[in-house]
Amino acid sequence: MTEITCKLLVIGAGPGGYTCAIRAGQLGIDTIIVEAEKPGGTCLNVGCIPSKALIHAAGEYEIIARAADGKNAFGISAAPPSLNFARTIAWKDDIVRRLNGGVAGLLKRAGARYVAGRASFRDGKTVEVETPSGRQVIRAETVVIATGSEPVALPFLPFGGRVISSTEALALTEIPKKLVVVGGGYIGLELGTALAKMGAAVTVVEAAPHILPQYDVDLSEPIARRLTALGVTVLTGAKVQALGTESAALAIETASGEQTSLEADKILVTVGRRPATSGFGLEILDLDMDGPFIRIDDRCRTSMHGVSAIGDVTGEPMLAHRAMAQGEMVAEIVAGRRRAWDRISIPAICFTDPEIVTVGLSPNEASSRGFEVKTDLFPFKANGRALTLDREDGFIRTVARADNHLLLGIQGVGAGIAELSAAFGLALEMGARLEDVAMTIHAHPTQGEAFHEAALKSLGHAIHI
Ligand code: FAD
Ligand code: NAD
């Protein structure tokens, strides 16, 4: 068994861990990062990147399929498309492979040492790693736990066979004929929509009264309408009960209490993710927990001196960019800089069709925090650019303090509006008021003008509505 030492040891090379190690390397900190699987973590290998590749391919396929069905409004006709799904998957895998290499290269360039293998704690400053070339002990002054999260299984629907998680859904070899998605949240709807566009007959079973229950109904309603248009059956308030006795059946109870059965050759279970806190000796450290997550303070410090934690293992929202921002902050703290978590908002995007973008507080969240709010929305049906894209569904909404017009939140739902998250996030982080947005010239014709108009509307002088 060999032994090495470093100043900073990062466990897990997902977006949180690799960002932390790269920034630490840039700051001249002697850093080791340990990864059990591949560089890039869930996000790069079986999450954000491969899912967005599939979503894009599915969108392209659906546009041609609509044209072939004569449903294209602008006069383009096409022959029915054919799908070489093996090539789609190979294309997606190649993107992942290139980015794996990219992350490994960035770590190397920053001077961080990469150790392949699963780390297990011996104590708060020492881990053991089973590497391909034997057992390695690593001692560090500071340890960062960035072990991420894993899919939650339902006890009566364990993963295996036709019951799959997002990981298997991203590695299918053919499009399922009948797909049941259990859980109409982020993953279920992103992947369910993509597979429906590529030809699967999809049924979504959601326990809550509406899909995407983390959002208000105004935001989720355009998604529900589009799912219906795509032929997806959505059962809300429904409970999955058990795998049926028939080989393809799944027993469910509908919102009205009716017992029924769905046919499915694949059942995609997407009922949330849980932090990866077991199987690597974490219990030895006896850290304070926050429910299932590791409790951290505003510097990502855990209850043990010299041990920090970042990313999904530390709580909601389980998003890659939160993990990255935490990773960068922790590296700077280790380098002696004065940093603390002072971000106003963490944008969230649901890459459904249409897309949902949220930053900051919703109208209800703002009111329940005691703010008197001014909230207005501008619909895309009054936005020229949206009409030229033949996508009039959705809106942009601003939430501002009634007294001084400080923006507290911005939400939108619309086709392809993910990129507006940058403008929304910047506005909140810069402390923008409605007047700042109103006085900013927004280029024409763009979907971003709906943001401008929502602010103008709140100030009582929208132009285009
Ligand atoms: P992870 O990315 O989970 O990385 C943790 C790493 O630690 C893993 O590589 C794991 O192998 C390694 N590890 C664990 N234990 C050990 C150990 N003991 N020793 C060594 N290594 C270990 N988020 C977004 O922001 N946008 C999206 O579009 C988006 N899409 C998603 C789509 C899907 C299908 C899924 C599943 C997730 C998606 N997410 C998205 C969420 C995003 O993937 C996570 O928030 C993000 O990956 C969290 O980063 P992390 O660094 O905390 O952990
Ligand atoms: P989720 O929390 O988004 O959705 C889970 C859904 O399952 C909820 O709507 C919930 O009501 C429902 N549910 C729970 N138990 C159920 C049951 N027994 N039967 C039917 N429905 C049930 O979780 P997810 O989709 O698994 O995604 C996990 C996390 O990954 C997300 O919270 C998010 O942090 C991250 N993610 C982000 C993105 C993105 O940023 N675009 C994409 C995918 C995943």
Side-chain angles (χ1 to χ4, degrees), residues 91 96 207 281 323 328 346 396 409 428:
W91 169 73
V96 170
E328 189 218 21
I346 301 168
I396 305 281
L428 249 66

Side-chain angles (χ1 to χ4, degrees), residues 324-386:
M324 292 187 208
Q326 289 178 321
E328 189 218 21
M329 179 184 79
V330 167
E332 297 203 347
I333 290 170
V334 173
R337 297 200 179 176
R338 284 170 66 84
R339 289 288 309 270
W341 189 261
D342 56 359
R343 308 299 168 95
I344 288 173
S345 79
I346 301 168
I349 302 168
C350 191
F351 289 84
T352 38
D353 182 7
E355 292 166 344
I356 298 179
V357 178
T358 60
V359 301
L361 304 179
S362 70
N364 284 343
E365 286 165 344
S367 300
S368 63
R369 290 198 194 181
F371 291 110
E372 202 187 316
V373 296
K374 235 175 151 37
T375 179
D376 276 284
L377 64 79
F378 187 85
F380 279 121
K381 64 175 184 296
N383 171 269
R385 181 59 179 147

Side-chain angles (χ1 to χ4, degrees), residues 218-266:
D218 290 344
L219 287 168
S220 61
E221 188 50 39
I223 317 295
R225 278 201 300 272
R226 181 84 171 116
L227 287 169
T228 304
L230 288 167
V232 174
T233 304
V234 178
L235 304 173
T236 51
K239 292 191 195 95
V240 174
Q241 296 184 312
L243 278 177
T245 42
E246 303 284 318
S247 63
L250 177 67
I252 66 154
E253 184 184 304
T254 64
S256 60
E258 188 196 339
Q259 310 289 322
T260 181
S261 162
L262 298 172
E263 279 193 11
D265 40 65
K266 291 282 182 220

